[in-house]
Amino acid sequence: MCRDLKKSRFMHLSIAALSFLTMGGVSLTLASADSPKEAKTRYGLASGTGPLNTLLINGQPTTPKIAGNSAIFVQKIAESGDTDVVLLTSVGGQACDAQYSILQVTPNGIKTPTPFFGNCSTAKPSISGSKITLKFPRNIGKYVTTPAEVDVYDLATGILTKNGKNIPAACKLDDGVCQG
């Protein structure tokens, strides 16, 4: 029961954090869906309900495949030109509550997602211009202690930074799967 309360609290905190997103060169759109595992994009339903917690677009697996840990939550957070921006949350277990990935959905399919990132605490995302910023407070948990971090993804350049330093912006595939 404690784990269910923790997941519920995490989901509500993530949704509340998204409500504070700011407007900029990217228009903010919080599409409603019936489940935190689904979000409507202009190009169909993005859903984390595939086999082994994989992401589906319009009921079809993505290429590359994208998989969450215990679950994958999907939230459309912005539109930029003909691109819909989706925040993926890989819900973890006892050692790591969540990790995040940013996915761009276009009329021609998806662009390679970012690797899953974060320090296992709840993200506080915001959008300014073409930059998506996720702020993570220091995480002191039962199994892991991690420092605070700020991750920024620039939609215009595709550059992902962690505390101001560039990190790989494309998800590393493990047996053809971007693993969260």
Side-chain angles (χ1 to χ4, degrees):
M1 179 173 166
C2 182
R3 182 180 283 167
D4 290 338
L5 289 173
K6 191 174 187 179
K7 283 183 183 178
S8 176
R9 185 179 77 220
F10 165 76
M11 180 184 72
H12 288 103
L13 286 173
S14 293
I15 292 169
L18 285 174
S19 68
F20 292 108
L21 293 172
T22 59
M23 300 296 276
V26 176
S27 63
L28 169 70
T29 56
L30 292 175
S32 62
D34 295 336
S35 165
K37 291 184 176 185
E38 297 179 335
K40 295 176 185 175
T41 74
R42 291 179 286 175
Y43 311 109
L45 184 68
S47 173
T49 60
L52 301 173
N53 302 314
T54 55
L55 182 70
L56 306 173
I57 305 283
N58 287 329
Q60 299 300 313
T62 59
T63 303
K65 286 186 178 180
I66 304 167
N69 187 6
S70 298
I72 190 164
F73 291 167
V74 183
Q75 299 167 328
K76 179 180 168 185
I77 59 172
E79 293 178 1
S80 179
D82 67 350
T83 299
D84 286 1
V85 182
V86 176
L87 180 67
L88 302 174
T89 306
S90 174
V91 180
Q94 293 179 342
C96 185
D97 289 342
Q99 296 240 291
Y100 299 83
S101 176
I102 296 172
L103 176 68
Q104 296 182 48
V105 183
T106 72
N108 300 319
I110 65 168
K111 293 185 179 179
T112 302
T114 67
F116 282 87
F117 59 88
N119 69 355
C120 295
S121 61
T122 302
K124 296 180 181 177
S126 64
I127 299 174
S128 179
S130 69
K131 295 185 180 188
I132 300 170
T133 302
L134 292 111
K135 296 181 179 181
F136 300 91
R138 183 172 183 227
N139 184 13
I140 302 172
K142 183 175 180 180
Y143 299 102
V144 65
T145 298
T146 55
E149 75 179 60
V150 177
D151 295 312
V152 178
Y153 181 71
D154 190 326
L155 285 167
T157 64
I159 294 173
L160 179 64
T161 61
K162 175 180 175 178
N163 296 331
K165 296 181 180 179
N166 288 0
I167 59 175
C171 192
K172 181 181 174 192
L173 300 181
D174 181 15
D175 289 329
V177 178
C178 176
Q179 200 71 41

